[in-house]
Amino acid sequence: ATKKKITAKFFQRQSVGDLSQKSDEWLNSQGRLTSPMVLDEGADNYTPISWEESFEMIADELCSLENPNQSIFYTSGRTSNEAAFLWQLLARGFGTNNLPDCSNMCHESSGFALTESIGIGKGTVTLEDFNSAELILVVGQNPGTNHPRMLTALRDAKKHGASIISINPLIETGMKKFKHPQNPLEMLGSGKSISDRHVRININGDMAFFRGLNHCLVKNGSYDQSFIESYTSGFEEYKVSVENVDWVQIESISGISRQEIELIANIISESKSIITCWAMGITQHHNSVETIQEMVNTHLLGGHIGRKGAGLCPVRGHSNVQGDRTVGINHIANPSLIQNIQNSTGIKTPTIHGFDVVNAARAMLEGNAKVYLAMGGNFLSAMSDTKLIAKAMNNCELTVFVSTKLNRNHLVTGKKSLILPCLGRTEIDKQTTGHQFVSVENSMGIVHSSQGHIKPASDALLSEPAIVAGIASALESRRPMSDLEWGDLVDDYDRIRDLIEQTIPGFNEFNSRVRAKAGFYLPNPPRDNLTFNTETGKAIFRFHNMSCLSPKVNEYVMMTIRSHDQYNTTVYSGEDRYRGIKSGRRIVMMNSIDAKESNLRAGDLVNLTSVFRDELRHSPNWYLVEYDIPRGNVATYFPEANELIPLNSTASGSNTPTSKSVIVRISKSQD
């Protein structure tokens, strides 16, 4: 909603080289992009280009490829259901399943783990469940900064009698005191306490912690035998595996004493309805899938799925990460989706899996992907191994960015680059048949409408669906790929929703139901009727051996975190007021005892080196802040520290970058 605007004159004055020297905060603060711009090969400045010329350039470049798999169609979670659905039709119609998206970087581990365990890759709770829960576990999540709306749900749950346990290496302010910004009485008061107990766990100690909990529940017979017999498989094998555990190992990995784990296990055993929420503090480790499945085991032991006030709740930060995946943004070629798409659109989708974000980066590095198109997002800053990603981008023939504002990726490009400015979701979207709205799906599986009411920042802006249709129409004129009239779809978004209804299960009567004020819930078999679409037809207990990183002397486990004044890769200021840190982001938070033993102190300028196999990555000039964090653990800000995360360091199964599990060395700078 900013009133600031970036015009063609801005790019005339500022070369790409000049802009590259500016901070992310500065780039974001320049305002809205207002017209299409092109960076020609060898040029130093972006120059204006028409929409028609942009679409023709993209179509020409795509058609010049040796094969469609040399193209990449990236998606951000900001994209609406309607735009995302068209985007994946465009990619698949062109002949590729290369549909990496931001889910690959965040909750891919959740989807992978949950699908294997309970047969669906999303959570099993409703908003109403929070007000009926007796116990809520908030694991690896900082709602105050990353999911502020979740704090309202937690506050309301507390009012209804729920106990809340926070499990996180850092004690976050939002979990201690919360003032609702729209409640004057709360704003005047001292705030509401959210968390009843804080478990200060080591980074990546969660699997060991939940293994200890589950051992206690099994040993004490504190499990729901009836639920287990009726709705689960694999319990007897799991029971044998967890009856004997190494408590020294559990305490060492988790950083939590046996006494505290036994105490929390007792609280769990006495709770009739439990919700477990988690975010990237759980999903971005080498063993994230195994950890999530151990958390699922806790719920299966107590029957805390498909019960009022109980369930699993992966909390997604962006407004439509879940919805994009639901309507088809997925690099994995799902046979039923492929068939549905062919039936509804005539598009014949290839059957081989496409690239996720990590494999997309590898393909660009190796010269096997030459055209990169992004529907939103900031791939360069969001991904691990930033310097390597920059090389990957530079290898492309063409990079295309559908964006609302300027970001770092617009400056690290292929030989040619396009910036295509789109409407924001808060802006009026008027098409041939009148004002349009789009839809999104939240973390609870509710699909609801979203309509803008603000005057667009520029008359030259197009909506995301219109941009997709423009590219598709230019491409269709060269190589027919579908039965669709792309322009007609964009004239009236109801037509897109009709097509979604024909293609995606659960969207019956989409156009009428989405117009309801509260939207509608999509089907969720585990939640709705305890049906589990797994290999056994039941929820599955899954056992994995515990694992952890093994830093050597003078090495630490580093996690990346976000500041208060930050939304994903967008940095609004250098302030992190909830943590008391100001005027800087190249910060490493370190336990004061660890600092002293390393002959370091607050304010020292230090260098960081990450260690992965035989690879070393160096990042200079970080300021040390002594902070209340468990010993052996350090924290740095994302995306500044992403250059320390190796591209090949990923979660088993999900291939998610391990942004929360990096071994680093810290040395005092000689400068």
Side-chain angles (χ1 to χ4, degrees):
T2 178
K3 299 297 183 183
K4 292 183 179 180
K5 298 178 183 180
I6 293 177
T7 65
K9 289 183 179 180
F10 172 89
F11 288 107
Q12 199 173 28
R13 294 192 306 266
Q14 304 268 7
S15 70
V16 169
D18 293 336
L19 292 170
S20 297
Q21 302 304 310
K22 305 294 187 180
S23 69
D24 289 350
E25 180 186 343
W26 187 91
L27 294 174
N28 174 70
S29 69
Q30 298 312 295
R32 291 290 301 280
L33 296 161
T34 56
S35 61
M37 304 297 294
V38 62
L39 183 68
D40 289 314
E41 186 171 357
D44 295 323
N45 295 72
Y46 277 96
T47 56
I49 186 173
S50 71
W51 280 108
E52 184 178 359
E53 289 173 315
S54 298
F55 298 147
E56 295 295 325
M57 177 185 289
I58 295 168
D60 285 342
E61 205 68 46
L62 287 173
C63 289
S64 72
L65 297 174
E66 293 176 14
N67 66 77
N69 284 321
Q70 290 183 326
S71 61
I72 293 169
F73 292 78
Y74 176 75
T75 320
S76 159
R78 189 202 70 194
T79 311
S80 68
N81 287 330
E82 290 74 10
F85 179 73
L86 294 184
W87 189 246
Q88 59 96 28
L89 290 184
L90 170 62
R92 299 188 202 279
F94 179 61
T96 184
N97 289 314
N98 289 344
L99 285 159
D101 75 313
C102 59
S103 288
N104 300 149
M105 304 179 202
C106 54
H107 271 290
E108 194 71 55
S109 297
S110 298
F112 191 93
L114 292 173
T115 298
E116 283 194 338
S117 291
I118 63 172
I120 192 170
K122 49 176 94 172
T124 66
V125 298
T126 67
L127 280 172
E128 293 77 16
D129 283 323
F130 280 84
N131 291 334
S132 302
E134 286 192 14
L135 176 65
I136 301 174
L137 304 178
V138 181
V139 194
Q141 182 195 0
N142 175 17
T145 293
N146 298 327
H147 313 105
R149 291 183 182 179
M150 173 62 78
L151 281 179
T152 303
L154 294 175
R155 178 205 63 175
D156 292 345
K158 194 78 178 293
K159 287 180 179 179
H160 285 85
S163 294
I164 298 175
I165 298 177
S166 173
I167 302 163
N168 201 50
L170 303 178
I171 299 178
E172 301 288 14
T173 300
M175 296 301 291
K176 291 191 294 184
K177 291 290 183 182
F178 171 57
K179 300 180 182 182
H180 197 294
Q182 294 176 338
N183 186 320
L185 292 178
E186 283 193 22
M187 291 301 290
L188 290 172
S190 60
K192 301 289 184 182
S193 174
I194 298 294
S195 181
D196 297 288
R197 175 183 292 272
H198 184 88
V199 179
R200 189 178 307 215
I201 201 163
N202 281 334
I203 295 172
N204 195 217
D206 308 273
M207 184 179 181
F209 175 76
F210 276 90
R211 177 61 53 79
L213 292 177
N214 293 342
H215 164 79
C216 294
L217 296 174
V218 168
K219 180 181 178 182
N220 298 333
S222 301
Y223 49 85
D224 187 333
Q225 187 69 43
S226 175
F227 178 91
I228 290 170
E229 290 177 355
S230 299
Y231 300 109
T232 75
S233 60
F235 172 66
E236 291 303 325
E237 296 88 344
Y238 179 77
K239 181 181 178 183
V240 170
S241 299
V242 299
E243 280 182 331
N244 294 299
V245 296
D246 183 342
W247 276 105
V248 172
Q249 184 187 31
I250 285 177
E251 289 181 318
S252 174
I253 295 174
S254 69
I256 309 302
S257 69
R258 177 176 181 175
Q259 181 181 13
E260 185 169 6
I261 292 173
E262 289 175 338
L263 175 63
I264 295 171
N266 187 56
I267 295 172
I268 289 173
S269 69
E270 294 177 352
S271 300
K272 294 182 175 61
S273 52
I274 299 173
I275 293 174
T276 298
C277 309
W278 70 92
M280 266 85 84
I282 293 295
T283 64
Q284 295 179 328
H285 302 280
H286 63 287
N287 60 351
S288 288
V289 171
E290 295 96 319
T291 298
I292 294 165
Q293 291 180 342
E294 194 65 41
M295 292 160 56
V296 173
N297 292 338
T298 304
H299 279 252
L300 297 183
L301 286 171
H304 298 293
I305 292 179
R307 174 188 297 173
K308 185 178 180 181
L312 298 156
C313 183
V315 182
R316 290 162 166 84
H318 228 321
S319 56
N320 204 36
V321 176
Q322 183 61 69
D324 287 357
R325 180 57 56 89
T326 297
V327 300
I329 297 294
N330 198 333
H331 62 283
I332 295 174
N334 180 294
S336 62
L337 176 63
I338 288 173
Q339 187 59 57
N340 289 350
I341 288 174
Q342 183 168 347
N343 292 342
S344 63
T345 69
I347 290 173
K348 294 182 179 180
T349 302
T351 57
I352 61 170
H353 294 342
F355 298 142
D356 60 13
V357 292
V358 171
N359 287 322
R362 289 173 181 155
M364 288 188 282
L365 277 168
E366 295 162 2
N368 295 325
K370 299 179 182 296
V371 175
Y372 169 87
L373 302 97
M375 179 57 73
N378 181 352
F379 188 80
L380 173 76
S381 296
M383 266 295 285
S384 56
D385 226 335
T386 316
K387 293 177 181 176
L388 214 55
I389 300 302
K391 291 181 181 178
M393 286 288 169
N394 292 154
N395 276 356
C396 291
E397 294 295 323
L398 174 68
T399 49
V400 180
F401 308 102
V402 180
S403 306
T404 56
K405 298 171 82 175
L406 193 64
N407 68 50
R408 183 70 51 191
N409 214 158
H410 301 143
L411 313 176
V412 181
T413 70
K415 293 176 183 176
K416 293 176 288 185
S417 186
L418 286 167
I419 297 176
L420 305 182
C422 64
L423 291 171
R425 205 181 294 159
T426 56
E427 290 175 312
I428 296 169
D429 182 353
K430 188 175 182 180
Q431 303 296 334
T432 304
T433 60
H435 290 185
Q436 306 296 316
F437 69 87
V438 294
S439 64
V440 295
E441 178 188 354
N442 67 18
S443 293
M444 310 297 166
I446 299 174
V447 177
H448 60 89
S449 64
S450 176
Q451 185 165 19
H453 299 284
I454 299 173
K455 182 182 177 181
S458 164
D459 293 337
L461 300 182
L462 294 183
S463 70
E464 289 177 330
I467 292 172
V468 182
I471 298 170
S473 297
L475 198 55
E476 289 264 24
S477 68
R478 291 160 173 77
R479 45 181 298 179
M481 59 185 181
S482 73
D483 300 333
L484 300 175
E485 293 293 338
W486 296 88
D488 289 347
L489 291 173
V490 175
D491 286 343
D492 186 344
Y493 294 177
D494 278 1
R495 296 168 187 167
I496 305 175
R497 286 185 282 273
D498 284 340
L499 201 56
I500 292 174
E501 180 179 343
Q502 296 171 36
T503 311
I504 309 296
F507 283 87
N508 51 299
E509 300 178 7
F510 189 7
N511 269 311
S512 59
R513 290 199 294 161
V514 77
R515 284 173 162 82
K517 185 176 181 180
F520 63 93
Y521 279 103
L522 288 171
N524 189 303
R527 180 194 69 206
D528 299 340
N529 50 35
L530 288 172
T531 299
F532 302 95
N533 184 26
T534 65
E535 61 202 59
T536 66
K538 295 184 175 184
I540 301 174
F541 281 92
R542 294 192 177 272
F543 177 84
H544 304 277
N545 292 323
M546 286 189 295
S547 61
C548 66
L549 294 178
S550 301
K552 298 175 183 177
V553 176
N554 295 325
E555 292 181 345
Y556 304 87
V557 179
M558 182 191 82
M559 65 176 177
T560 62
I561 60 176
R562 301 178 201 178
S563 68
H564 172 71
D565 278 350
Q566 178 178 358
Y567 185 69
N568 291 339
T569 58
T570 303
V571 177
Y572 294 103
S573 80
E575 302 268 322
D576 194 356
R577 59 187 171 120
Y578 285 165
R579 298 189 181 105
I581 296 172
K582 299 181 179 180
S583 304
R585 290 186 54 84
R586 291 189 71 82
I587 298 294
V588 55
M589 302 176 196
M590 189 177 194
N591 183 284
S592 59
I593 299 175
D594 285 341
K596 185 176 181 180
E597 290 186 355
S598 299
N599 295 316
L600 298 170
R601 61 182 180 180
D604 280 350
L605 190 64
V606 298
N607 300 327
L608 302 182
T609 300
S610 69
V611 183
F612 177 71
R613 297 173 184 164
D614 59 349
E615 303 172 16
L616 299 179
R617 284 166 176 76
H618 304 286
S619 185
N621 301 328
W622 294 76
Y623 285 96
L624 190 139
V625 171
E626 293 181 0
Y627 202 81
D628 189 6
I629 186 171
R631 294 200 61 188
N633 297 227
V634 297
T636 52
Y637 289 131
F638 155 102
E640 287 80 1
N642 284 7
E643 64 185 15
L644 290 164
I645 303 161
L647 182 64
N648 293 325
S649 181
T650 62
S652 174
S654 68
N655 210 31
T656 298
T658 60
S659 300
K660 297 290 189 290
S661 281
V662 185
I663 292 178
V664 296
R665 298 169 185 164
I666 304 175
S667 60
K668 195 168 184 177
S669 174
Q670 301 304 310
D671 296 340

